[in-house]
Amino acid sequence: MYFFILNAFTSSLATYAAVASISSPSHSYLLTSRSLRPSTDLTISNKVIAPDGFSRSTTLAGGTFPGPLIKANKGDHFAINVVNKLNDSFMLTSISVHWHGLFQNGTNYADGVSFVTQCPIPPNYSFLHAFDAPNQAGTYWYHSHYSTQQCDGLRGPLVIYDPDDPLSYLYDVDDETTIISIADWYHIVSTILRYIIGVSPDSTLINGLGRYVGGPESELAVVNVEYGKRYRLRLIGMSCEPSFKFSIDGHNLTVIETDGILTEPLLVDSLRIFAGQRYSVILTTDKPVNNYWLRALPSTTGSTFDGGLNCAILRYIGAPAADPATDYTDSTMPMLETNLHPLINPGAAGIPEYGKADINLNLVVDNIGGLFFINGAVYEPPIVPVLLQILSGAQDATDLMPIGSVIVLEANQVVELTMTTNGFGAPHPIHLHGHPFDVVHSGGASDFNYLNPVRRDVVSSGAAGEKMVIRWVTDNSGPWFLHCHIDWHLNAGFAIVMAESPSETQMHLKGLPTAWGDLCPAYDSLTSQLGAVDSYAEAANITTLLLPDH
């Protein structure tokens, strides 16, 4: 009931033009193919780009959307120095960067979550994220974790390759050219959109390119393949809001990875990707040499493929440089989450029966006036990061801010979390930091599975009123964020902090950089995050469906 298309509000775009530095597009924005090693500078800056033909100022890593690939091998040490060069006063000028899916065991301070594990990095400051990811390999990504900043462009892929991948016999090609990012894109800056209930994106970008309704016939991304080979496509859902139904005309796909966890191979002809989720799929190029539509239909109401919307191009070598003429057909073999099973060490921890874990949590999510309440509390970022509170001596939930949004968990316990979401916005992609989890009951499923449930780090909550149940083990001391990965919903309070064995956090941390302690005084000294613009007033010029000013 809350959804609407922002493009319809053309009268307010003139106001926005002054805010977002709109210029007339003169050329298509092209993504440059490049990668960074795990020890690198990652510079964040503002830049005007037109990935769908509409020019706007953005917040980018490395000057591109998506940001450069961070490419590592299993066992590599990460030392990523995030450098803040932001200067556009109409957008957030401080930053934090989260390394999505990496567990940060012993390095909670490097998780990159504003006001949970750190203060944001102010302009002209940098912070070195030094951490290891032992025993992790797969498809990950990085993105801003400060308010709704990632929706302005701070998103990029991160892949850890395994030279001894047990499923390598299934594919011939796995490199930078087979990474496929799927993102929503907005023509209005997020500092305005974050106040609006029911935001809809203007376009879908696949590998940084797309088209929007009524816009120019902008260039689309092309995935080049050679006949007779098998490609490991790494699909990354870099969405701020919608999920996407992914398919390639005329081709089946074999799923072999969910969120960094290898799965038993599963043959499908389509799969739905929620915000934050990743899949590896094997594509066998055994069809006639031609161009084929690669499709990512967003869950946004009224989405179509007309005129190349929500599409990229799969182009066999030897095919002409032209848009495909292939037709869309309904999926007959869609991926079902309950059919995904871990390849290695399947099975949920603890007694295989509902409610028989060491810690049993029941979270009920309600939406009232656009705000999200978890067990009656709306998450509001605290002034002092939760990790700093713990290191300063706060140990109990009653001592930790924000009140009502922190759950303290004992160490080395099996946790079973049941979530029921009511009202607006479902299904919600739920992400837990610091851990993978076993989905013992997918949203909408009829049965429980403790024997070999899918293991991942982002799961759909299911439709409104449905129940989702996950399990994990508390073997990583520190405060870990559990939240909806729709940025607009997180901004509206859909989050909670799991404070895992606070009394052991200090001992569990592998050192604490001096620069980490310097972030809060530097951030607190800022007079404002924005310039003279009144973002709430600008939002009110677009619609009356607004969140409270905060």
Side-chain angles (χ1 to χ4, degrees):
M1 63 182 291
Y2 291 109
F3 280 90
F4 60 91
I5 304 298
L6 286 173
N7 283 344
F9 293 90
T10 54
S11 63
S12 57
L13 287 182
T15 301
Y16 166 65
V19 175
S21 306
I22 294 177
S23 61
S24 177
S26 58
H27 58 83
S28 296
Y29 169 67
L30 297 176
L31 175 67
T32 56
S33 178
R34 61 196 179 91
S35 62
L36 300 175
R37 297 301 298 161
S39 293
T40 186
D41 284 343
L42 186 69
T43 300
I44 314 301
S45 60
N46 298 119
K47 185 177 180 180
V48 175
I49 63 172
D52 60 0
F54 183 94
S55 292
R56 58 154 291 183
S57 182
T58 60
T59 299
L60 302 179
T64 63
F65 183 84
L69 166 66
I70 297 176
K71 179 181 178 181
N73 287 323
K74 188 175 182 180
D76 281 352
H77 176 70
F78 288 84
I80 305 171
N81 187 40
V82 176
V83 182
N84 186 350
K85 295 297 184 183
L86 297 176
N87 57 15
D88 189 331
S89 61
F90 294 115
M91 290 185 286
L92 296 169
T93 54
S94 295
I95 53 175
S96 73
V97 179
H98 169 56
W99 320 99
H100 184 120
L102 301 185
F103 304 145
Q104 302 293 351
N105 199 311
T107 50
N108 177 269
Y109 54 81
D111 197 37
V113 185
S114 292
F115 309 112
V116 177
T117 64
Q118 69 172 78
C119 281
I121 305 167
N124 300 314
Y125 279 75
S126 64
F127 179 66
L128 179 66
H129 294 76
F131 57 89
D132 295 304
N135 304 315
Q136 286 195 259
T139 309
Y140 307 94
W141 64 305
Y142 60 90
H143 59 84
S144 170
H145 223 306
Y146 179 35
S147 184
T148 54
Q149 186 178 59
Q150 76 140 317
C151 305
D152 288 320
L154 208 178
R155 322 175 217 177
L158 189 158
V159 176
I160 302 176
Y161 293 91
D162 183 358
D164 300 315
D165 178 10
L167 293 180
S168 62
Y169 69 93
L170 292 174
Y171 54 88
D172 306 305
V173 182
D174 176 26
D175 57 24
E176 290 93 334
T177 69
T178 64
I179 297 170
I180 298 177
S181 65
I182 308 171
D184 50 352
W185 192 248
Y186 300 84
H187 293 169
I188 298 178
V189 293
S190 73
T191 46
I192 294 173
L193 294 183
R194 63 179 173 170
Y195 292 112
I196 296 175
I197 299 172
V199 175
S200 288
D202 292 285
S203 61
T204 296
L205 304 184
I206 301 176
N207 283 358
L209 295 172
R211 297 172 182 170
Y212 66 94
V213 175
E217 197 170 288
S218 296
E219 192 158 353
L220 297 176
V222 177
V223 178
N224 292 295
V225 295
E226 183 179 346
Y227 178 83
K229 290 196 173 180
R230 302 166 302 166
Y231 292 81
R232 179 175 181 167
L233 304 181
R234 294 177 181 265
L235 312 178
I236 306 177
M238 294 186 182
S239 179
C240 285
E241 194 274 329
S243 61
F244 297 94
K245 182 181 178 183
F246 180 87
S247 63
I248 301 175
D249 287 359
H251 294 74
N252 290 332
L253 305 165
T254 301
V255 182
I256 63 166
E257 177 207 351
T258 58
D259 299 354
I261 307 293
L262 292 177
T263 68
E264 296 177 359
L266 176 68
L267 187 67
V268 302
D269 64 4
S270 70
L271 63 159
R272 181 161 297 283
I273 304 172
F274 286 87
Q277 291 185 331
R278 294 90 61 210
Y279 291 97
S280 281
V281 297
I282 305 301
L283 167 71
T284 301
T285 52
D286 56 0
K287 305 303 178 188
V289 172
N290 206 339
N291 293 294
Y292 297 85
W293 285 120
L294 183 154
R295 304 176 187 269
L297 188 69
S299 53
T300 310
T301 302
S303 296
T304 73
F305 298 119
D306 295 347
L309 295 172
N310 307 306
C311 288
I313 299 169
L314 181 78
R315 177 167 295 153
Y316 280 64
I317 293 174
D323 280 0
T326 54
D327 294 324
Y328 175 75
T329 57
D330 290 335
S331 174
T332 59
M333 198 167 37
M335 184 197 74
L336 299 177
E337 186 176 65
T338 50
N339 288 337
L340 293 168
H341 308 297
L343 179 71
I344 301 169
N345 297 327
I351 298 171
E353 187 176 342
Y354 181 61
K356 293 297 180 68
D358 300 318
I359 301 171
N360 298 282
L361 303 176
N362 187 31
L363 302 183
V364 178
V365 182
D366 296 296
N367 183 278
I368 303 172
L371 294 175
F372 288 91
F373 294 76
I374 298 182
N375 289 1
V378 175
Y379 178 80
E380 288 280 358
I383 296 174
V384 177
V386 179
L387 177 58
L388 180 54
Q389 295 179 50
I390 290 172
L391 297 179
S392 299
Q395 301 293 307
D396 299 322
T398 53
D399 300 328
L400 290 163
M401 301 290 289
I403 295 174
S405 294
V406 180
I407 295 175
V408 174
L409 304 173
E410 295 180 14
N412 301 311
Q413 302 290 295
V414 176
V415 178
E416 184 167 86
L417 184 149
T418 300
M419 178 178 287
T420 306
T421 56
N422 301 313
F424 160 70
H428 302 274
I430 306 302
H431 175 45
L432 174 65
H433 292 223
H435 297 274
F437 51 72
D438 291 296
V439 185
V440 298
H441 188 279
S442 297
S446 56
D447 299 313
F448 285 82
N449 178 6
Y450 291 93
L451 178 64
N452 59 358
V454 64
R455 186 172 298 140
R456 59 186 325 154
D457 60 52
V458 180
V459 64
S460 167
S461 68
E466 291 182 344
K467 179 170 62 178
M468 176 273 294
V469 186
I470 59 176
R471 272 196 183 187
W472 76 92
V473 177
T474 55
D475 55 4
N476 189 6
S477 181
W480 302 109
F481 219 18
L482 176 82
H483 63 93
C484 176
H485 219 290
I486 295 174
D487 271 39
W488 316 116
H489 296 178
L490 170 56
N491 176 67
F494 197 153
I496 198 164
V497 177
M498 299 291 165
E500 194 168 313
S501 53
S503 62
E504 300 179 6
T505 299
Q506 179 84 61
M507 181 175 59
H508 188 65
L509 292 177
K510 299 170 183 175
L512 191 65
T514 301
W516 180 86
D518 295 338
L519 288 175
C520 286
Y523 176 80
D524 293 340
S525 69
L526 298 175
T527 55
S528 174
Q529 271 295 301
L530 298 173
V533 63
D534 184 340
S535 298
Y536 194 79
E538 296 296 339
N541 287 334
I542 297 174
T543 178
T544 58
L545 291 173
L546 299 176
L547 295 171
D549 191 356
H550 65 287

